[in-house]
Amino acid sequence: MERVATTGFFELDGGRWEVENNVWVVGDDAEALVIDAAHDADAIAAAVGDRTVRAIVATHAHNDHVNAAPELADRTGAPILLHPDDLPLWSATHPDRAPDGELADGQRLSVGVTELVVLHTPGHAPGAVCLHAPALGTVFTGDTLFQGGPGATGRSFSDFPTIIDSIRERLLTLPLGTVVRTGHGETTTIGQEAPHLPEWIARGH
């Protein structure tokens, strides 16, 4: 798996913030799956190289995670996959281009010999998902779980109790050594984060 760091802007509720995103490319020498096509289709395409892109998966539809997805899809022929609960957010960024397929809880995505299991983890966004790759000992969490706590829930389409339930029930139940590869910032592990759940609940974010 490879990390591609891209920079751009997150825009929601009339605000605009400069951000750096983690784009994850998972696969082997022949094919790849792209998680969160953010900001820079050229940089992502360079990381993919001449591999076949099996899918472009959106962990959620905030603009900074999907703004390069249509261009990358056009260049590679890969389908864009999104949980349907995030279609309102997607449409705010791409009103004239729908995703090509839907993600569902428990769905399995294969690339090379790697299988990723879709976990629906709403809270940061209604259709937020994480992708668990048991054989790799990792989970791609988008903006659901970061090093130091849950993703933000102070804007439209988000809810703090919901993200806490998602983290408690879907993520902290994974093996403690599972590496958490996030949508922004550094990696962490389930074991490092799990003891802090009561602190996050107490602080309310």
Side-chain angles (χ1 to χ4, degrees):
M1 72 194 86
E2 303 157 66
R3 171 183 172 266
V4 182
T6 63
T7 57
F9 292 91
F10 166 50
E11 299 175 346
L12 188 66
D13 297 338
R16 191 170 191 256
W17 302 267
E18 189 169 7
V19 290
E20 180 179 87
N21 286 63
N22 296 328
V23 181
W24 298 100
V25 181
V26 183
D28 57 20
D29 292 338
E31 57 186 39
L33 183 144
V34 174
I35 301 171
D36 287 345
H39 307 306
D40 190 340
D42 287 338
I44 303 167
V48 168
D50 60 1
R51 290 178 286 179
T52 299
V53 180
R54 292 300 179 194
I56 300 163
V57 181
T59 61
H60 62 294
H62 283 154
N63 75 291
D64 61 315
H65 290 256
V66 300
N67 50 13
E71 182 182 348
L72 189 66
D74 290 344
R75 291 169 64 157
T76 63
I80 300 169
L81 306 181
L82 177 74
H83 193 284
D85 288 355
D86 258 21
L87 283 173
L89 280 167
W90 170 274
S91 298
T93 302
H94 301 300
D96 301 319
R97 200 323 186 165
D100 302 295
E102 296 185 351
L103 296 171
D105 187 60
Q107 181 178 350
R108 295 175 184 270
L109 306 173
S110 296
V111 57
V113 297
T114 300
E115 186 174 75
L116 298 98
V117 182
V118 177
L119 308 176
H120 183 210
T121 54
H124 181 69
V129 302
C130 298
L131 301 169
H132 181 216
L136 300 179
T138 197
V139 60
F140 301 92
T141 57
D143 288 3
T144 295
L145 178 63
F146 294 114
Q147 184 183 74
T153 54
R155 303 185 182 99
S156 297
F157 301 100
S158 64
D159 182 74
F160 181 72
T162 301
I163 201 171
I164 288 295
D165 286 346
S166 291
I167 291 170
R168 180 195 291 116
E169 296 166 13
R170 308 310 306 278
L171 297 180
L172 299 188
T173 54
L174 298 176
L176 296 181
T178 303
V179 177
V180 177
R181 302 184 192 276
T182 62
H184 308 273
E186 299 302 315
T187 60
T188 183
T189 67
I190 294 297
Q192 286 176 289
E193 301 306 319
H196 301 289
L197 180 65
E199 300 169 26
W200 306 337
I201 294 172
R203 77 188 186 198
H205 62 86

